[in-house]
Amino acid sequence: MVEIRWHSRAGQGAVTGAKGLGTVVAATGKEVQAYALYGSAKRGAAMNAYNRIDDKPIINHATKMNPDYVLVIDPGLAYTDDITKNDKPATQYIITTHLPKEKLIARIPALQDKTDRVHVLDAIAISKETIGRSMPNTPMLGALMKISGMFPLDAFLESMKKVLAKFPQKIIDANMEAITRAYNEVK
Amino acid sequence: MAKKFEINEIEVWDGNYAASQALRQAQVDVVAAYPITPSTPIVEGYGSYVANGYVDGEFVMVESEHAAMSACVGAAAAGGRVATATSSQGFALMAEVLYQASGMRQPIVLTVVNRALASPLNVRGDHSDMYMGRDAGWINLDAFNAQEAYDLTLCAFRIGEHLDVRLPVMVHQDGFTTSHKAQKVNPLQDEAAYKFVGDYVPVDEMLDFTRAVTHGAQTEEDWHFEHKAKQHKALMDSRTVIEEIFADFKALTGREYKRVETYLLDDAEVAIVALGSSVETARLAAEELRKDEGIKAGVIAPRVFRPFPFDLIRDVIDGSPLKAIAAMDKSAPGGAMGALFNEISAAAYTTQNRPLITNFIYGLGGRDFSVEEAKRILKEQKAHADAGHITTPIQQFSGLRGPKLGFFETKRS
């Protein structure tokens, strides 16, 4: 079982990202869950989305998880959310920030004994430069592919094209570029 | 003629989307709705299928849930296949008309995305709305995940519209936990789904102008009782029809449903009885307890909450090695024992094997129910079984913060 927790603001696409990842993974025959807690949350409110991935049907419906990956797609939430909550000794963190990794870690005490498990990228800047607006969800997926090795980049891009098929070609292309850049730029 | 919807063999759908697709595939004629969280996407989905030509039907916008169910009753009496969705406060506002629908024997399908009732206001999942409607004379089916929400919604049309039944049917799923959780779903293609549901057969439809009929007449002490008794008998007799339709569904899809689902129960000494998504979480707890601690744990889950499977619960308990059962109620019982506790206890009381039964109130307002907590509860049942009597208060609260709350001590030794 692989468990992933997204830290996001409502409107940044964490739910879409989690569902997109779920669709890609399900196509390989694995079982998935993609869920989120929102409802009363307004655009901009802090929220969590979640993924579970396993080889056998997933029947655990508890919201709480011990994440293998924590994906922070809003830079501010790295400071204000409890991003290390219920983590494990091997939990990997991927955080969007404009800061170099060392500077970010210096400002977040909870990460200071986890330096080798913290990875950073500027998913906000990447999405602005490729998609044309702040939409850090797809770049985060590119970074996750690099850090987790879940799928090779080419295979993941092909799968994501199908997930995004309802969008105009221009938007699909921009997302492919965002994913590729994030894959290459995450440190 | 409705357009065919492109559907893959494997989809990643949440419970809401799964239910909306089932409404579309059944080619529901009328959906009258007043959307409410967390069931909004079901009727939103149907509305978009109508607008885009994927269903040949009418979406009726109304001013309240009371009006929504009233319009559903009217459309059903006129002779259409009718469905809607609601949750929580919306369900509460529908309550009066729920009794009208069942008394008038209109086979409306209501997809209920279970949510807590105010006050305090809360949008998360619990079973307050399900419990509120349990005596409304509807058949109540309960889905534990998105696949089941899809499957049971298709079955609901067949069951309710069956000429020996002619009763409205609710299909429950847990707010957020099921409604907003995308999982792998194997849907049927449109033709296969519609073929399973079948053409709607109207009964005494008001749009048949050659034969005038009255719906919703008044009866006082002379006939009211006979009507209500017939309605109750129809609910009780629907048990065999439900089983037949579940068997047909299994033949078509390979997916098997029973009026009571049991997991790991054959040799179980202790068990959890629950409804909704918690059933699956409890299954995982039972599996882990068996593997890691050698505790013979199982799970019992009423798939059909109404008509209550009194018969099958007895069959499950009678002659079984069950010694202690935890009945889990996800609704505030308002000064009583939980409803599931009462109904399970009543069924168990009429068997030779009367296991120790305790009651847990849990999950109110969406409070998380973990595998660890399910294991703790099962282990507590094991302690009762080993002691030969209930070692805790009979009613307890699971997942509650603050001082431990419990009521009533056992008088059995």
Side-chain angles (χ1 to χ4, degrees), chain A residues 19 29-30 34 38 61 63-64, chain B residues 14 124 181-182 280-281 368:
Chain A
K19 284 189 175 172
K30 283 189 190 291
Y38 55 93
H61 292 287
T63 302
K64 186 203 146 190
Chain B
D14 62 25
R124 304 276 179 233
K181 180 183 284 155
E280 297 205 327
T281 306
D368 204 14

Side-chain angles (χ1 to χ4, degrees), chain B residues 144-277:
Chain B
F144 312 151
N145 59 42
Q147 176 77 62
E148 295 176 0
Y150 171 80
D151 292 352
L152 295 173
T153 304
L154 290 178
C155 290
F157 290 102
R158 275 282 297 279
I159 293 166
E161 293 169 9
H162 193 287
L163 293 177
D164 295 339
V165 177
R166 286 288 297 184
L167 284 167
V169 185
M170 291 179 204
V171 182
H172 297 275
Q173 58 173 294
D174 278 337
F176 290 98
T177 314
T178 304
S179 68
H180 285 63
K181 180 183 284 155
Q183 291 200 259
K184 244 159 83 167
V185 173
N186 296 102
L188 293 166
Q189 291 300 317
D190 285 0
E191 309 80 48
Y194 187 78
K195 196 169 160 230
F196 173 77
V197 174
D199 288 335
Y200 184 70
V201 181
V203 174
D204 296 334
E205 71 273 35
M206 296 187 83
L207 288 181
D208 178 2
F209 296 120
T210 63
R211 191 171 153 271
V213 290
T214 298
H215 284 266
Q218 186 171 4
T219 61
E220 301 299 353
E221 69 280 12
D222 51 352
W223 280 111
H224 186 83
F225 196 7
E226 282 69 27
H227 276 292
K228 296 320 278 188
K230 266 190 86 171
Q231 198 186 322
H232 179 72
K233 183 171 187 304
L235 265 167
M236 288 303 208
D237 292 349
S238 72
R239 287 174 295 162
T240 49
V241 174
I242 292 168
E243 282 167 359
E244 282 164 28
I245 289 163
F246 283 170
D248 282 359
F249 192 77
K250 188 190 172 191
L252 178 65
T253 64
R255 295 192 288 274
E256 184 173 27
Y257 294 99
K258 297 179 188 154
R259 285 191 292 121
V260 173
E261 307 287 359
T262 55
Y263 307 96
L264 302 169
L265 207 70
D266 287 347
D267 63 341
E269 219 186 355
V270 297
I272 276 179
V273 186
L275 293 162
S277 55

Side-chain angles (χ1 to χ4, degrees), chain A residues 163-181:
Chain A
V163 173
L164 299 171
K166 64 177 178 180
F167 291 104
Q169 192 59 43
K170 201 175 81 178
I171 292 179
I172 298 174
D173 292 344
N175 275 280
M176 294 306 114
E177 196 193 337
I179 294 168
T180 307
R181 271 194 55 187

Side-chain angles (χ1 to χ4, degrees), chain A residues 9 45-46 49 72 86 108 114 120 122 136 158 161-162 169 183:
Chain A
R9 293 193 184 279
V72 184
N86 302 321
I108 302 173
K114 305 173 175 60
V120 299
D122 195 345
E158 282 311 306
K161 277 182 196 162
K162 287 181 198 145
Q169 192 59 43
Y183 186 93

